[in-house]
Amino acid sequence: MQLTFRQARAADIPRLVELLADDALGATREDLSQPLNRSSTLAFHSIDQDPNNELVVVEAEAELAGMMQLTFIPYLTHTGSWRCLIEGVRVAQAFRDQGLGTELIRWAIARAREQDCAIVQLTSDKQRPDALRFYEALGFKASHEGFKLRL
Amino acid sequence: MQLTFRQARAADIPRLVELLADDALGATREDLSQPLNRSSTLAFHSIDQDPNNELVVVEAEAELAGMMQLTFIPYLTHTGSWRCLIEGVRVAQAFRDQGLGTELIRWAIARAREQDCAIVQLTSDKQRPDALRFYEALGFKASHEGFKLRL
């Protein structure tokens, strides 16, 4: 399968929102109504304008097959270093169980190295046991609890 | 105890690095040698110049008593919304067990609301059982695994 990674464009937003909603947890919290919720467009432009945020898509067979967001963050901790935070990883139904998720995360790790990051990190919902095994198989350690507080 | 919250300044860097190192886990990974590791200064300036990153300090009794870093991140997920990520929370030895940590996190939550964030999140090392109880008491849910990969 030939994969093409690129930055997301504004024209991708409707498809990206579909991808986010096409998921057991995402289905409960995304808004697929048309015209698109204005906050999705605003969020896209905030990401797009920030050099430390990258919304990455992967195309396969001329379709948008997967997505993820990378955030590069400078920290004083660990002797002053950058980290790459991965969030919102999704693979389209038609492309699941073909190793595309692995390719996305490998691409993210390579991009993090390029940006001179010392750590790649992400949180994964404990309700997704397959995802937990998936990240462990890629070398991630579940050394931390991932705390969330809804405002 | 009268507390003053403010953004960190370059002159604070040596004290901030001391605070980060004055901790069971931090002691193994921070560099207290003088002159300060150049990467600490570079990291400080990267944080300082980024409108989406805030290195916050709290002063008590004319001393730098605590610190934390806030990162505001726009996401397409959750119908397009911002999150506040908290990292590098430290309270100086002399000020521990006096509720200062709670004040830091409450300040962070108020700041996140001000920035219109939908979620406040952080990861906490599973080797810090006290910290885990602390965040739960503040209303955070350990709904996620916090995965890290060192590069």
Side-chain angles (χ1 to χ4, degrees):
Chain A
M1 190 158 53
Q2 180 72 37
L3 302 179
T4 308
F5 289 85
R6 62 169 173 81
Q7 300 295 315
R9 297 185 282 255
D12 299 320
I13 302 174
R15 178 67 183 127
L16 295 174
V17 172
E18 267 178 35
L19 265 185
L20 289 172
D22 188 12
D23 168 87
L25 299 178
T28 66
R29 61 195 184 203
E30 305 304 339
D31 176 8
L32 283 170
S33 59
Q34 292 290 338
L36 267 182
N37 193 310
R38 193 172 125 77
S39 58
S40 296
T41 313
L42 288 174
F44 174 84
H45 289 295
S46 297
I47 297 164
D48 197 44
Q49 285 158 21
D50 184 342
N52 287 331
N53 273 288
E54 296 185 354
L55 190 57
V56 177
V57 302
V58 58
E59 291 175 323
E61 299 165 12
E63 277 196 60
L64 204 156
M67 66 184 291
M68 65 185 167
Q69 183 168 336
L70 306 182
T71 306
F72 304 105
I73 311 173
Y75 284 118
L76 271 190
T77 52
H78 296 264
T79 333
S81 59
W82 286 72
R83 294 191 203 186
C84 174
L85 174 65
I86 306 177
E87 180 66 40
V89 180
R90 290 290 189 287
V91 172
Q93 290 279 3
F95 294 93
R96 287 188 195 159
D97 303 315
Q98 296 168 59
L100 200 74
T102 301
E103 293 308 313
L104 270 167
I105 302 302
R106 283 195 183 140
W107 193 93
I109 293 169
R111 183 84 185 104
R113 283 188 203 279
E114 215 174 78
Q115 295 285 94
D116 210 19
C117 292
I119 296 174
V120 181
Q121 66 184 50
L122 61 94
T123 64
S124 187
D125 198 302
K126 289 176 183 173
Q127 296 175 71
R128 302 189 199 270
D130 290 356
L132 303 180
R133 282 190 294 272
F134 168 77
Y135 289 116
E136 274 165 0
L138 280 160
F140 286 82
K141 304 282 175 228
S143 55
H144 288 59
E145 290 287 350
F147 283 105
K148 312 270 171 175
L149 175 73
R150 296 286 195 114
L151 297 186
Chain B
M1 191 158 53
Q2 180 71 35
L3 302 179
T4 308
F5 289 85
R6 62 169 174 81
Q7 300 294 315
R9 298 185 282 254
D12 299 320
I13 302 174
R15 179 68 184 126
L16 295 175
V17 172
E18 267 178 36
L19 264 187
L20 289 172
D22 187 13
D23 168 87
L25 299 177
T28 65
R29 61 195 185 203
E30 305 303 340
D31 177 7
L32 283 170
S33 59
Q34 293 289 338
L36 268 182
N37 193 309
R38 192 171 127 75
S39 57
S40 296
T41 313
L42 288 174
F44 174 84
H45 289 294
S46 297
I47 297 165
D48 197 44
Q49 285 158 22
D50 184 343
N52 287 331
N53 273 288
E54 296 185 355
L55 191 57
V56 177
V57 303
V58 59
E59 291 175 322
E61 298 164 11
E63 277 195 61
L64 203 157
M67 67 185 289
M68 66 183 167
Q69 183 169 337
L70 306 183
T71 306
F72 305 106
I73 312 173
Y75 283 118
L76 271 190
T77 52
H78 296 263
T79 332
S81 59
W82 287 72
R83 295 191 203 186
C84 174
L85 174 66
I86 306 177
E87 181 66 40
V89 181
R90 290 290 189 286
V91 173
Q93 289 280 2
F95 295 93
R96 287 187 196 162
D97 303 316
Q98 295 167 56
L100 200 73
T102 300
E103 294 307 315
L104 271 168
I105 301 301
R106 283 195 182 140
W107 193 93
I109 293 169
R111 184 83 185 104
R113 282 187 203 277
E114 213 173 78
Q115 295 286 95
D116 210 19
C117 292
I119 296 174
V120 181
Q121 65 183 50
L122 61 93
T123 64
S124 187
D125 199 303
K126 290 176 183 173
Q127 295 175 73
R128 303 189 199 268
D130 291 355
L132 303 181
R133 282 190 293 270
F134 167 77
Y135 290 116
E136 274 165 1
L138 280 161
F140 286 82
K141 304 281 175 228
S143 54
H144 288 60
E145 290 287 350
F147 283 104
K148 311 272 171 175
L149 176 73
R150 296 284 197 116
L151 297 186

